[in-house]
Amino acid sequence: STWGFWNIMSEVVYPVPRTEFQDENPFEQFRDSENRPFLPASQSTELKFHDDLYDATSSTQSHTMVNLSEHDPLTDDSPLIPPSTIAATATPKSKASFWQLSAYQHLFNVDTVDVRARVIAATTLRPKWDDVIVDNPDLYGPFWVATSLIFTLAVAGNIASWLSFVPNTKQTEWLYDFTKVTFAATLVYGYVFALPFGLWLVLRYYEVQMALVQLWCCFGYGLIAFLPCCVLCMFPNDFFRWIFIVLASALSGAHIGKYVWFVIQTKMEWVYRNTKATTIAGVLLIIHACLALALKLCFFAS
C-alpha cells in the first residue's frame, strides 16, 4: 500500500540507530513489582565526602577543615570556599602609617552630641569622665577649646586694659598688645599638651597603662571654664576678677584632679599608690594654681 511504501522510504532516508534498549525500558530492571525505583542491596552505596576541603573519617557529618592557605581559588580545581570561611581566614588590614592623616582620623571621630556631653561633664563634674568618653577620647574638642581660649584671652585682656587705661605723662594713648596672643598660645597649649605628656611619662614609669590622648582630652575640656571667666574679667574691677579667676580655676582643677585621681586609684599598683598618689596630685594642683595666677597677672592686671 501507499502508507507502507512511505514507511519504508522514511527508514531509508532517515535511518534510526538501534540499540539493545530500543524495544524495552532500560530502567525496568531497577523497578520493583509496584513500579517504584529501587537499588539492590548488593549495589547500595555509602555516600562520603572526599574533596579538598573536607576529610571524612566516617559516614556521619563530622568533617575536619584543612589548611585553606594551601589552595588558590583562582588556579585550583577545588570547590568554592564559603564566604564566611574566607572572612574568618582573611588577613587583617594593616594599620595606617604614622605620617598618614588617616592614622589620626579616629581622634576626631565625634559629633556635636559628643562634644556637648563632654563639655557638660567637664563643667558639672557629672557623670564620671571615664563614662563619658567611653574609650573614645578625641582631640577635636580640646584643640578648639584651647584655641578659643587663646584668642579670648588676647582679646579680653586688651579690652580690659583699654577699659582701665588712664593717660599719663609716660603713655598718653592706649596701644594694642600683640604679645598677649603669643604668650597665651604658649601658656595654654603648653598646659593642654605638654603637661599631660609629662604626667603620662610619670604614670608609665609607675606601670600605669593608659593612652596619652585620654589625658589630652581631659585637660583640654577642663579649660572650658576659663572661657566665660575671661569675658567676665573684662569688667574693670580687680576684686571681681579675682573671684572669677578663683571660681574658674577651682572648677577646672576639680575636673582634672578628679579624673587623674581616678586613674591613679584604679590603674596604679598599690605599692606606688600609697606613696606617690598624693605627690602627683599635689604637683598638679600647684601647676594648676600657677596657671590661674598667670592668667590674672598677665592678662587682667589692675
Side-chain angles (χ1 to χ4, degrees):
S1 62
T2 306
W3 179 253
F5 173 78
W6 285 113
N7 284 339
I8 296 174
M9 293 301 297
S10 63
E11 291 181 3
V12 174
V13 178
Y14 305 103
V16 179
R18 297 183 177 270
T19 62
E20 58 180 347
F21 300 106
Q22 184 174 357
D23 297 330
E24 62 181 5
N25 189 356
F27 302 100
E28 189 68 27
Q29 57 178 329
F30 302 108
R31 295 181 179 274
D32 56 7
S33 59
E34 297 181 2
N35 199 26
R36 292 178 304 182
F38 77 99
L39 192 64
S42 59
Q43 300 182 13
S44 61
T45 304
E46 185 178 7
L47 297 179
K48 294 184 179 180
F49 296 93
H50 294 286
D51 54 13
D52 291 339
L53 291 179
Y54 301 94
D55 181 16
T57 57
S58 63
S59 60
T60 61
Q61 295 181 355
S62 60
H63 308 292
T64 304
M65 297 296 295
V66 298
N67 188 7
L68 297 177
S69 62
E70 299 177 357
H71 299 271
D72 186 359
L74 298 179
T75 58
D76 292 357
D77 295 332
S78 59
L80 294 178
I81 303 175
S84 59
T85 305
I86 297 177
T89 58
T91 305
K93 295 182 179 180
S94 58
K95 296 183 178 179
S97 174
F98 176 80
W99 304 105
Q100 296 178 352
L101 294 178
S102 58
Y104 309 97
Q105 183 178 1
H106 68 282
L107 299 178
F108 300 88
N109 187 23
V110 289
D111 53 13
T112 305
V113 177
D114 297 329
V115 174
R116 184 189 300 115
R118 298 177 185 196
V119 169
I120 294 175
T123 52
T124 62
L125 307 181
R126 293 180 182 180
K128 293 192 302 183
W129 184 252
D130 196 56
D131 296 335
V132 176
I133 59 178
V134 194
D135 295 332
N136 185 31
D138 70 287
L139 291 183
Y140 178 84
F143 172 78
W144 283 112
V145 169
T147 305
S148 301
L149 181 59
I150 290 171
F151 287 99
T152 304
L153 277 172
V155 174
N158 280 280
I159 293 177
S161 175
W162 175 73
L163 292 176
S164 61
F165 175 74
V166 177
N168 52 42
T169 56
K170 295 183 179 180
Q171 186 176 356
T172 58
E173 59 181 19
W174 177 82
L175 298 176
Y176 186 89
D177 189 2
F178 287 95
T179 60
K180 292 183 182 296
V181 178
T182 56
F183 182 74
T186 303
L187 187 65
V188 174
Y189 282 146
Y191 183 85
V192 173
F193 297 105
L195 179 60
F197 179 73
L199 175 61
W200 178 75
L201 292 178
V202 173
L203 294 177
R204 287 297 300 268
Y205 177 78
Y206 291 111
E207 301 178 358
V208 176
Q209 301 296 330
M210 69 175 305
L212 174 60
V213 67
Q214 292 179 329
L215 292 177
W216 280 340
C217 184
C218 175
F219 278 71
Y221 280 103
L223 295 183
I224 192 69
F226 285 101
L227 285 174
C229 172
C230 293
V231 178
L232 295 175
C233 283
M234 291 189 299
F235 185 74
N237 188 297
D238 197 58
F239 175 76
F240 287 105
R241 287 176 179 175
W242 277 111
I243 293 179
F244 298 146
I245 289 291
V246 170
L247 290 178
S249 177
L251 182 59
S252 176
H255 164 70
I256 297 174
K258 181 181 178 181
Y259 179 69
V260 173
W261 186 262
F262 167 78
V263 171
I264 293 175
Q265 293 297 321
T266 57
K267 298 184 179 182
M268 182 178 287
E269 298 291 339
W270 68 271
V271 177
Y272 306 116
R273 188 190 310 162
N274 298 331
T275 57
K276 305 300 181 183
T278 306
T279 303
I280 295 175
V283 172
L284 286 179
L285 180 62
I286 294 175
I287 296 176
H288 191 75
C290 292
L291 171 68
L293 187 62
L295 294 180
K296 172 61 179 68
L297 298 180
C298 297
F299 296 94
F300 306 105
S302 56

